[in-house]
Amino acid sequence: MKGINKLVIALTAVCLGTALILGGIYAFTRDTIEKQKREKKIRSLKSVLPPTDNEIDKDYIEIDGGKDRRGNPVKVILYHGKKEGQLVGTAFSIIAHDGYSGDIEIMMGVAPDKTITGIEIISQKETPGLGDKILKEKWRSEFKGKSLESKTDKGIPFLDVKKDGGGIDQFSGATITPRAVVKAVREGLKIYERASSKS
Amino acid sequence: MSELVLLFMSTLVVNNYVLTKILGLCPFIGVTKKVENSVGMGMATMFVITVASLMAWFIDLYVLSPLHITYLRTVIFILIIAALVQLSEMIMEKTTPALYQSLGIYLPLITTNCAVLAVPLLIMNKGFDFWETLVYAIGAPAGFYLALMIISTIRENLAFAKIPRVFQGAAISLITTGILALAFMGFSGLIRE
Amino acid sequence: MAEINKMAAEIADVQPGIQVPGFSLEKYKYLWSDFMNGLWSENPVLKLVLGLCSTLAITTSTQNGLGMGCAGLFVLTGSNGLISALRKVIPGKVRIPAFIVIIAGFVTLTDLTMAAYTPVLYESLGIFIPLIVANCIILARAEAFAARNPVDRSIMDGLGMGLGYLLTLTVLGTIREIFGNGTVWGASIFGENYIPMIVFILPAGSFILLGLLTGFFNQFTGSKKMTSTEVGCH
């Protein structure tokens, strides 16, 4: 019996020691981790907007963004970017569900005149070298300045991949990914329009 | 229901733990020289992953999250796995010696199989509910088992092939696995995760 | 490498008379060979074929390989040292669970530190940081070396094995980045028109590349005994 006691004591001591030390380290790093997360959020919000000077991550409204696949309501958070008190753009994140291998999270910025100020891919699991070309700056910049009303030379809505008649490039060997992104961006613009017509 | 079936197929082939997620490679290379070893290892791993993941899910929901100590997840989960492995070894030895004879030697190796720790961790990251957890915790090791069976069948045949001396063993197995992984890429895009 | 080992051995053999208290060449010879053992002759990845998951999954770029290698080096050296220091206190029967808790502690420490100070790297390594716990190299070294040897030798063994791991990961990461992405440390080297060989950054390519490297390493080190065939994680 004494032998077993010794085992239990030794193991408990090791576990408790580990837990205590980790607790200390957690307390020490928690603030930095929170700060990093906040900075990352601000960076991604700012990257899709023209220059702003307000505390963008604290200036937001929540709106109803329809339902996800499981039927749960989705909230979309619209962050307002302001310069000298004037609204210069709204940034929000949307999720494209029909990517090639999973959800694609996109951050997009919309100017008050309903044109896109920029898009950024936050997370994606597309095939490396094919679908993940959506990460390229050159491709993402094709969205800038476009809106739901924008037309190509032939008078077809611009926000579609070229294969479907629109003006956005697809990549050889990967149409599904850009198509999913374009579709999600169109949805995002519609959500923005609904929100701005209400307020 | 159909969601769950899709999730199962997705973890089984599309996101196969070994061939597309690159997890659980040590036993995959280490014990697959013979098919019968793979069966033993696969069965033992399936049992541990499924039970450990469900336990981890409950402990996370009722202990770690309410106490806000989710940063201890890694420590707690690996303890659950180690304890479960030790326990099942003891119980198996006492109650079913025949099963222990065939599976017992694989049990100690399971603690250092990263797929076993990855399943509960990924379940937490994905925020699965109970049924999804159950399906995922069965589908993932089933995919591992599938990969083990395929590679061990190939390796039994490789034993008769003329392979340069330096490539014998792990090297040729890795190259074979690479070709298998290419084949499994054909499944990608079939079911979205 | 073998020459350096030999030199160290010779020095120790030729001058056995020099014995400053607390300093013996004999001891340094041991430490050196412990270190070189992990780095070269028993390279954990290429020779022992351990710790493959992290090796293959995250080495899509030099940066990732280096980052993961550093994390592994830290955990391996730290846990080897601590386990060796506690080896007489921990009873044999609860040895394995106690080792695992200590390793998991070091891993969580690394995880939190990386989340706080290297967020970009932390994100790209993802779940493979907590999975260092289940990396066979670490438990294998704890069990095979640290549990039986004094602290200084265990730390040297940890450093050697860790550096061997780090170097292999960096080399793999660099090769995969050059061919799979056409870049070195993010900078394009083949110009705009280079069409990357995507297979190198896919899982399939990593298996094939490591298979080839293992083969070449066997040829290079000229071992007669194929240790790699009989290793799992024991």
Side-chain angles (χ1 to χ4, degrees), chain B:
Chain B
M1 190 62 210
S2 70
E3 288 267 308
L4 292 180
V5 175
L6 284 181
L7 180 66
F8 181 77
M9 289 312 287
S10 149
T11 46
L12 184 67
V13 289
V14 182
N15 295 299
N16 186 285
Y17 255 64
V18 180
L19 296 170
T20 53
K21 277 195 166 22
I22 327 191
L23 290 166
L25 286 184
C26 291
F28 181 79
I29 300 293
V31 299
T32 51
K33 258 164 68 188
K34 291 197 187 108
V35 173
E36 59 176 283
N37 295 355
S38 296
V39 175
M41 189 64 180
M43 290 291 178
T45 313
M46 270 222 238
F47 168 75
V48 174
I49 291 189
T50 311
V51 179
S53 304
L54 290 177
M55 282 169 70
W57 190 81
F58 277 110
I59 287 178
D60 193 83
L61 186 67
Y62 294 111
V63 183
L64 299 185
S65 295
L67 291 177
H68 300 289
I69 48 169
T70 46
Y71 62 91
L72 286 180
R73 264 180 195 160
T74 317
V75 183
I76 304 281
F77 288 2
I78 194 81
L79 257 183
I80 295 176
I81 293 165
L84 186 68
V85 167
Q86 201 110 48
L87 257 180
S88 43
E89 208 180 340
M90 274 148 62
I91 293 172
M92 216 186 258
E93 200 180 357
K94 290 258 160 62
T95 55
T96 49
L99 195 64
Y100 180 74
Q101 283 281 311
S102 56
L103 295 190
I105 46 165
Y106 302 107
L107 281 167
L109 297 181
I110 292 178
T111 323
T112 51
N113 179 347
C114 54
V116 181
L117 182 60
V119 174
L121 283 176
L122 280 174
I123 287 173
M124 293 307 140
N125 282 358
K126 287 170 192 276
F128 279 163
D129 65 21
F130 177 76
W131 292 109
E132 285 169 325
T133 303
L134 182 66
V135 169
Y136 193 87
I138 295 173
F144 176 73
Y145 186 68
L146 177 72
L148 282 188
M149 292 310 291
I150 298 176
I151 192 75
S152 58
T153 322
I154 298 177
R155 283 184 78 173
E156 280 199 348
N157 286 300
L158 274 181
F160 301 107
K162 277 185 188 159
I163 299 160
R165 194 180 55 85
V166 291
F167 278 99
Q168 279 165 17
I172 194 70
S173 309
L174 281 167
I175 295 172
T176 316
T177 313
I179 297 167
L180 262 180
L182 273 181
F184 264 69
M185 263 193 78
F187 290 117
S188 72
L190 195 65
I191 304 166
R192 271 136 214 162
E193 204 177 343

Side-chain angles (χ1 to χ4, degrees), chain C residues 1-7 32 36 39-41:
Chain C
M1 299 303 155
E3 281 164 24
I4 300 172
N5 270 333
K6 218 169 132 193
M7 267 168 64
W32 180 250
M36 288 316 290
L39 193 61
W40 190 255
S41 48

Side-chain angles (χ1 to χ4, degrees), chain A residues 6-8 10-11 14-15 18 21-22 25-26 28-29 32-33 36 40 43 122 127-130 132, chain C residues 86 89-91 93-94 97-98 101-102 104-105 108-109 112-113 115-119 123 198 201-202:
Chain A
K6 202 182 155 200
L7 298 186
V8 173
L11 199 54
V14 169
C15 291
T18 311
I21 293 169
L22 286 181
I25 291 160
Y26 174 70
F28 181 72
T29 51
T32 323
I33 294 175
Q36 293 280 12
K40 191 183 157 222
R43 253 202 317 277
I122 310 248
T127 321
L130 289 172
D132 78 346
Chain C
L86 295 176
V89 191
I90 298 171
K93 277 186 181 160
V94 290
V101 172
I102 291 172
T108 312
L109 168 72
L112 290 170
T113 318
Y117 301 106
T118 55
E123 206 148 291
I198 297 164
I201 44 175
L202 294 176

Side-chain angles (χ1 to χ4, degrees), chain A residues 28-164:
Chain A
F28 181 72
T29 51
R30 188 177 43 194
D31 291 344
T32 323
I33 294 175
E34 286 302 314
K35 206 179 106 213
Q36 293 280 12
K37 276 189 187 154
R38 182 170 172 235
E39 267 170 19
K40 191 183 157 222
K41 191 168 158 193
I42 295 179
R43 253 202 317 277
S44 73
L45 287 171
K46 285 198 168 170
S47 68
V48 295
L49 290 176
T52 55
D53 57 8
N54 63 330
E55 282 202 38
I56 188 166
D57 64 318
K58 292 189 178 142
D59 189 353
Y60 62 86
I61 54 164
E62 256 180 42
I63 60 155
D64 178 33
K67 292 198 166 131
D68 70 3
R69 278 177 303 177
R70 284 187 221 154
N72 300 320
V74 177
K75 286 262 176 269
V76 175
I77 303 173
L78 301 181
Y79 294 91
H80 298 303
K82 289 177 183 156
K83 175 118 188 169
E84 288 155 7
Q86 199 70 31
L87 184 70
V88 291
T90 306
F92 52 99
S93 77
I94 41 168
I95 290 169
H97 291 295
D98 34 15
Y100 194 63
S101 39
D103 290 350
I104 306 168
E105 197 184 350
I106 304 157
M107 176 69 76
M108 60 185 282
V110 185
D113 65 352
K114 291 170 194 164
T115 60
I116 296 166
T117 52
I119 70 165
E120 182 88 23
I121 311 294
I122 310 248
S123 68
Q124 54 89 27
K125 293 179 232 147
E126 302 304 293
T127 321
L130 289 172
D132 78 346
K133 284 183 192 153
I134 52 170
L135 294 171
K136 292 203 168 161
E137 168 70 36
K138 196 172 155 236
W139 185 76
R140 286 185 286 115
S141 66
E142 287 180 29
F143 287 86
K144 257 181 209 160
K146 302 295 182 224
S147 72
L148 284 173
E149 275 80 46
S150 302
K151 298 278 193 288
T152 58
D153 304 341
K154 290 174 188 155
I156 305 166
F158 187 89
L159 284 179
D160 240 328
V161 289
K162 282 186 175 152
K163 211 176 198 172
D164 302 339

Side-chain angles (χ1 to χ4, degrees), chain C residues 52-137:
Chain C
L52 290 185
C53 304
S54 53
T55 305
L56 293 178
I58 54 88
T59 51
T60 47
S61 69
T62 316
Q63 202 183 356
N64 284 357
L66 197 63
M68 189 71 195
C70 290
L73 173 68
F74 170 73
V75 174
L76 193 50
T77 314
S79 64
N80 249 13
L82 189 61
I83 286 170
S84 166
L86 295 176
R87 72 186 189 281
K88 285 179 183 145
V89 191
I90 298 171
K93 277 186 181 160
V94 290
R95 195 178 70 241
I96 300 285
F99 290 175
I100 288 179
V101 172
I102 291 172
I103 295 169
F106 273 102
V107 170
T108 312
L109 168 72
T110 317
D111 187 88
L112 290 170
T113 318
M114 286 180 80
Y117 301 106
T118 55
V120 179
L121 190 62
Y122 180 75
E123 206 148 291
S124 61
L125 297 183
I127 189 168
F128 286 95
I129 300 175
L131 286 186
I132 299 176
V133 181
N135 189 326
C136 334
I137 301 173

